[in-house]
Amino acid sequence: MSLENYVFKMSNTEINNLAKNRFINGSMQSEIFFRGNRTARGNLCRNPSLSNTVRDRLWKERGYVYKTELLKTGKFRGDAEKYRQLYYENEDKFFNTWSGQWRLKSTFLSSYWCERDGFQYTPADVLDSITDRITLMPPKDSYSINSMLESLIRHPNLAVDTCVKLTTVKKENLRNLAFERLIALNKEDKIAKAN
């Protein structure tokens, strides 16, 4: 009996844990995708050895939770269109709830965990749109908004024009950080043009 057939006899807990295992092959991942619950599928999204076939199936699932997990873990590095698609199709969801803001920050701006570096591939136009949305929000001094602003300022793909917008934020320490980053970006731009 092949390992894939054992999935039929496993409990949800066993399937959920198996989905995390980086040594399972693509056919086992497919079985887990079809037989497992939401937790198992979420664990598949974070599996470092996820097959491209299962990755694409997870992307086609309804909603944005699996998609954010796939981007966070860098499963679509270099595919800027996936970042744009996820952001622009779910823009309001990202800004209208606290959990949406948390997913926005951890997917596009910075990571709470060191092994999740997918945010570094967020295109500059998405960062610019996020900046516009945040600066147009009613002024409030919330940790979530300030944290997103700081992550925007520190983002490796931040464009000069977007950084200029961030120099107008109300919080002084963030405004100063934005000015420092603007100076650094201008220096990098001059060096790049000189070479």
Side-chain angles (χ1 to χ4, degrees):
M1 185 186 278
S2 69
L3 188 58
E4 286 84 6
N5 293 332
Y6 283 108
V7 174
F8 290 111
K9 298 178 181 183
M10 290 181 176
S11 69
N12 280 340
T13 302
E14 291 169 328
I15 293 172
N16 295 344
N17 288 326
L18 184 61
K20 297 176 191 176
N21 190 318
R22 63 190 168 135
F23 298 109
I24 58 174
N25 62 24
S27 62
M28 176 59 78
Q29 292 172 8
S30 289
E31 286 298 317
I32 293 169
F33 174 82
F34 289 114
R35 308 257 181 253
N37 57 22
R38 288 185 61 79
T39 302
R41 288 180 176 188
N43 289 340
L44 279 174
C45 290
R46 293 181 287 277
N47 187 318
S49 302
L50 184 65
S51 75
N52 289 345
T53 304
V54 177
R55 177 199 69 183
D56 294 340
R57 284 184 188 142
L58 286 162
W59 185 266
K60 290 177 184 173
E61 286 292 291
R62 205 178 78 185
Y64 71 106
V65 174
Y66 298 143
K67 293 175 181 77
T68 59
E69 288 298 321
L70 290 167
L71 291 184
K72 278 190 247 186
T73 53
K75 298 296 190 285
F76 287 102
R77 288 182 180 147
D79 189 349
E81 285 311 308
K82 293 290 186 195
Y83 287 82
R84 289 182 182 104
Q85 177 188 350
L86 177 62
Y87 174 74
Y88 291 114
E89 287 178 3
N90 300 283
E91 192 173 353
D92 288 335
K93 290 179 192 173
F94 284 128
F95 286 98
N96 292 336
T97 64
W98 183 87
S99 62
Q101 290 176 9
W102 181 85
R103 285 197 185 281
L104 172 83
K105 183 177 186 291
S106 62
T107 303
F108 300 106
L109 303 178
S110 67
S111 178
Y112 295 101
W113 300 276
C114 58
E115 72 274 6
R116 298 192 183 171
D117 65 347
F119 74 91
Q120 296 178 14
Y121 303 95
T122 304
D125 61 300
V126 172
L127 296 174
D128 191 58
S129 178
I130 293 170
T131 301
D132 290 342
R133 287 291 298 255
I134 290 175
T135 54
L136 292 175
M137 292 173 84
K140 57 183 172 186
D141 191 25
S142 76
Y143 172 79
S144 176
I145 299 299
N146 291 333
S147 179
M148 284 194 287
L149 286 167
E150 182 174 348
S151 296
L152 273 164
I153 293 166
R154 296 183 188 279
H155 198 282
N157 293 337
L158 185 69
V160 172
D161 294 343
T162 307
C163 194
V164 169
K165 293 177 188 177
L166 290 165
T167 61
T168 65
V169 297
K170 295 193 181 209
K171 199 155 178 99
E172 185 179 358
N173 64 328
L174 292 173
R175 195 169 53 243
N176 292 339
L177 186 63
F179 276 115
E180 289 172 18
R181 183 68 199 280
L182 183 60
I183 292 167
L185 286 171
N186 282 328
K187 281 182 185 177
E188 290 171 16
D189 192 41
K190 285 179 184 176
I191 291 170
K193 285 179 180 175
N195 293 329

